[in-house]
Structures are given as structure tokens and as C-alpha cells.
Amino acid sequence: MAEFKTSPGMRDILDPESGRWRRFVSAFEHTVEPAGYRQIIPPLLEDIGVFQRVGEATDVVTKEMYDFVDKGERHVALRPEQTASVCRAFVQHRPVTPWKAWYAGPNFRYEKPQRGRFRQFDQVGIEVLGATDPYLDVEVIALGWNFLAGLGLRRLTLQINSLGEPTDREKFMSALSAHFTNELDALSVESRATLSKNPLRVLDSKRDEDREIIARAPRIADFHSDEARAHFASVRTGLERLGIPFVVNERLVRGLDYYRHTTFEYVGGTLDSAQNALGGGGRYDGLVEDLGGPPTPGIGFAIGVDRTLLACDDEGVFEPPVSSVRVFVIDTTGGAEALVLTDQLRRSGISADRAFESRSMKSQMKAADRSGAEVALIIGSDELASGTVVVRPLRGGDQISVHRDDLLPALQKVLT
Ligand code: AMP
């Protein structure tokens, strides 16, 4: 018989980790909903064109896309990220701007699996479409920061940068290209290949041979227009006023053509450097237009669930919850009484479980202990005959016998 395991880079998230994921998304919801963000649940699958928009030069598009032709001859892809889907949805539904959306869910990238890097991975994120105010950049950055800090993370760094106006960026790119072309022979093979596609991406290289050449590369700040400088100054001032510490990292560039002005990254303190980016984002223009909409500026971030939880593990915070039922019903008379009683308890809002298959008293008691319940309710033949139930506290205290009609009030007293 064939035995199946999850595909490489794919996992089952089991309890108690699944409980932690649920709480993670819930914490995110409780951070962004009160700030006026509303949830969008885009489909997992879109026309591949939606994602090809994000630029031909990125690995996400060239190598990592899970794409295929469906039965209707459509070339579709599992989403590698959700920003493009949110922009596609904006064009399709034309909501009132500024449109503030949040999302949570899986993305798919055909990457080499390793610690903190999977082929199916979840992100939570927000996007705001239709406003250019630098204080919006601050709001967005602050919400991500507050969320991560709220999980208990302390060794957290916020890195920010500005890519300036599109024309600043172009001038910077030419200067960068000239610089790297001059040093072509010394660059790594990978960076040489990247250079021909997008010189900005060379700045992302962490290879030793590139490091020194990158350190001497032109700096974006020298190319900022007055407007770009003013925008970035407001962002920094806004963050200072909120008391959010940050460092300016001029090497923080997003490779995509759409990014301009503010870019930022939340960096965890304890993971190795390849995996310490918990999430990041930035301001972008042109994505909505490329998807057929009106010129609309956007800003957002995506935070990876896996990496953030790894950072939580490293810091010993936001631990998996211990879930248990409060009451365990033991029925040695065939199981029908347990059926009725658990149903009654659950309808009254008291969590309850039971054993099945007419196990012995001893085996049911063991199951009760394993369940973590506070109280066992026991029905044997005597109790069945007299219409009573034995209420036995499982963490110390004396057991009592109560009439079935008085059970709920008696139970409320015993449950802490
Ligand atoms: P990106 O969408 O590439 O800007 O990534 C944003 C965040 O998503 C990263 O900082 C990671 O936390 C997470 N992430 C990206 N790719 C993966 C992956 N393959 N596996 C797990 N997490 C990922």
C-alpha cells in the first residue's frame, strides 16, 4: 500500500502549534481592525498575469511560481504573495479610497526548503491604497511594530529606507549599474547574472566576494529629490513621535520596480541572518495601473507567520496555548447518558468530552486525566437508577453526588 507524506516544503500544523497559529492571526486581527482595516480573503489561485505584474526580474516570478494550465486552458498560479491580489481586487471592486485591507493566509513559492523557509507559508499583512501621506507610512509601520511587540518580542529591530521618487531611483540605478559594471570581474557569478536584470537586487547579495563592492556602491540618499527627502523626514519624525526605534539601512531596497519612497523591514534578533527578516513592506506605485486600474499609490507590509513564531521560540514568548475541556463525562452504563450529558453541557457553554466504545471505568478515568479536565462527571448503574451524577474534582477536593436536575448549578460552583 502506498504511504504518503507531505510534499517537500509543506507541513501539517498540528495541535498545539495550530492553536498558536490561530491566536497569532487573532492577535493580528485585534491590532489592525481597531485601526480601520477590514479583511480581504483573496483566492489562492489567480491568472498568472496578476503576479507577472510584479516584475520579470524577481526570483518569485521567474523560478518560484507554482503555475499550471487548468482544464479551461487558463494559465493560473497559486499566489506567491498577496499584495498583487489585493491590487487586482481593488481594480475589480473599486472601493472608496483610502482603502485599508488586511489579510492572513497561505502563499506558495517553489523555494529550497530550509529552517524558516517553506513552499507553503502563511503571511499576515495590510495594504492601504489611495493615499500618499507620509503619516500613513508611519501608521502602517507602527501597526506591524505594535503587533510584533504585542506578541512579546523584544529583540526586534525596525529598519527603514527611502527609495525616493521614480526619477531619483532611475538615476540611482544607472549609477549603481555603472559601479557594478566597473567591478564586473570581481562580482560573484550570481550577482553578475542579477546585474543584467536589476542592479538593485545586487545590493541584497550576502556573498563574501560582493560585500566590499557593495559597501563602496553609490548611496540612494545622495539621489533623493527635495520631495523625497521631505517625505522621508516626515516618516522619521512620525516614528520618533510614536517612540518607535528604527535604524536607517540604506541597503534596504526592494527589487521590484514598483517600490518608491519608504521601505522597511522588521528584523528579529536571534535567528541567523538568512532568516531574520520577520516581515517587511513599503510604498509602491504603478501596480494598480498595471492591473488595469487608475493611478493609485499603495503601501503595505507582509509578516511571515513561521519566521515570527521561530523568533518567539527563540525569545521564549507567545507560547503555544494549552487547550483542554473543562468537564469529562464517564458513563459505564453503555454511553447513551454521556451522549445526552455532554450535549447538555456544550449547549450550556461548558466544554465537555467523553470516552467512546464502552471502556472500563479505569480506562475512562485515565482518559479524563489525559483530557486536562477540571471535573469528571460519573454515571454508573446506581446513578442511572437514582437519576444522579457523581461530580468528582480532578485537581483535589471531595466528590459529591447531585441530582441530574441540580447538576448545572452544582457544577458551576465546582468549576473555578
Ligand atoms: P516577502 O513577501 O518576500 O517580502 O516576505 C515577507 C516575509 O514573509 C518574510 O520576511 C518571511 O517572514 C516570510 N516568507 C517569505 N518567504 C517565505 C518562505 N518561503 N517560507 C516562510 N516564510 C517566508
Side-chain angles (χ1 to χ4, degrees), residues 77-131:
L78 293 175
R79 63 182 187 211
E81 49 108 27
Q82 292 175 64
T83 306
S85 298
V86 171
C87 291
R88 193 265 314 132
F90 177 83
V91 175
Q92 190 170 341
H93 306 290
R94 300 293 171 100
V96 175
T97 56
W99 188 48
K100 297 166 107 180
W102 71 272
Y103 59 79
N107 304 321
F108 301 83
R109 294 182 195 172
Y110 199 86
E111 299 192 79
K112 192 163 175 277
Q114 51 190 283
R115 183 174 137 96
R117 188 171 288 281
F118 304 94
R119 290 182 175 171
Q120 176 177 336
F121 63 96
D122 274 48
Q123 284 180 337
V124 294
I126 59 178
E127 308 290 341
V128 187
L129 292 171

Side-chain angles (χ1 to χ4, degrees), residues 280-311:
R283 189 167 263 296
Y284 50 88
D285 276 342
L287 196 48
V288 171
E289 275 163 281
D290 264 6
L291 289 162
T296 311
I299 179 164
F301 66 70
I303 289 174
V305 179
D306 304 279
R307 298 241 186 112
T308 307
L309 289 179
L310 281 175

Side-chain angles (χ1 to χ4, degrees), residues 341 374-380 383 386-394 396-404 406-415:
L341 211 50
E374 295 163 48
V375 172
L377 299 183
I378 305 167
I379 303 181
E383 285 77 23
S386 59
T388 57
V389 184
V390 170
V391 179
R392 179 186 293 182
L394 294 173
D398 297 330
Q399 69 177 44
I400 50 170
S401 176
V402 297
H403 198 270
R404 286 281 277 265
D406 305 325
L407 177 61
L408 282 181
L411 198 53
Q412 296 289 9
K413 266 187 228 149
V414 181
L415 291 172

Side-chain angles (χ1 to χ4, degrees), residues 9-14 17-18 20-21 24-25 105-108 111 114-124 147-148 151 153 271 275-279 302-314 318:
M10 311 260 173
R11 298 150 300 157
D12 300 310
I13 316 278
L14 303 178
E17 193 60 8
S18 52
R20 186 149 81 139
W21 279 55
F24 187 93
V25 175
N107 304 321
F108 301 83
E111 299 192 79
Q114 51 190 283
R115 183 174 137 96
R117 188 171 288 281
F118 304 94
R119 290 182 175 171
Q120 176 177 336
F121 63 96
D122 274 48
Q123 284 180 337
V124 294
F147 166 65
L148 293 169
L151 297 176
L153 291 171
L271 300 170
Q275 252 106 65
N276 67 0
L278 308 184
I303 289 174
V305 179
D306 304 279
R307 298 241 186 112
T308 307
L309 289 179
L310 281 175
C312 287
D313 287 341
D314 284 347
F318 200 68

Side-chain angles (χ1 to χ4, degrees), residues 223-331:
F223 294 82
H224 282 164
S225 62
D226 289 347
E227 195 188 334
R229 213 163 294 185
H231 187 103
F232 196 35
S234 297
V235 171
R236 292 194 311 259
T237 315
L239 289 170
E240 278 158 12
R241 290 203 56 183
L242 298 187
I244 296 177
F246 60 86
V247 289
V248 175
N249 174 2
E250 282 203 61
R251 297 287 167 236
L252 187 64
V253 292
R254 303 229 126 203
L256 308 187
D257 295 345
Y258 297 96
Y259 281 98
R260 55 213 38 174
H261 289 296
T262 318
T263 57
F264 55 97
E265 210 160 84
Y266 305 105
V267 182
T270 47
L271 300 170
D272 56 84
S273 68
Q275 252 106 65
N276 67 0
L278 308 184
R283 189 167 263 296
Y284 50 88
D285 276 342
L287 196 48
V288 171
E289 275 163 281
D290 264 6
L291 289 162
T296 311
I299 179 164
F301 66 70
I303 289 174
V305 179
D306 304 279
R307 298 241 186 112
T308 307
L309 289 179
L310 281 175
C312 287
D313 287 341
D314 284 347
E315 290 202 36
V317 297
F318 200 68
E319 276 158 12
V322 185
S323 7
S324 57
V325 291
R326 305 193 73 190
V327 177
F328 199 93
V329 179
I330 294 171
D331 174 3

Side-chain angles (χ1 to χ4, degrees), residues 158-164 168-169 172 176 180 199-205 214-224 229 232 236 246-255 261-265:
L158 168 64
Q159 301 192 351
I160 62 168
N161 191 23
S162 168
L163 299 177
D168 310 344
R169 199 185 136 119
F172 172 59
L176 211 52
F180 287 132
L200 273 184
R201 298 279 297 185
V202 178
L203 294 177
D204 287 341
S205 165
I214 290 172
R216 285 189 285 107
R219 307 201 158 263
I220 181 74
D222 296 333
F223 294 82
H224 282 164
R229 213 163 294 185
F232 196 35
R236 292 194 311 259
F246 60 86
V247 289
V248 175
N249 174 2
E250 282 203 61
R251 297 287 167 236
L252 187 64
V253 292
R254 303 229 126 203
H261 289 296
T262 318
T263 57
F264 55 97
E265 210 160 84

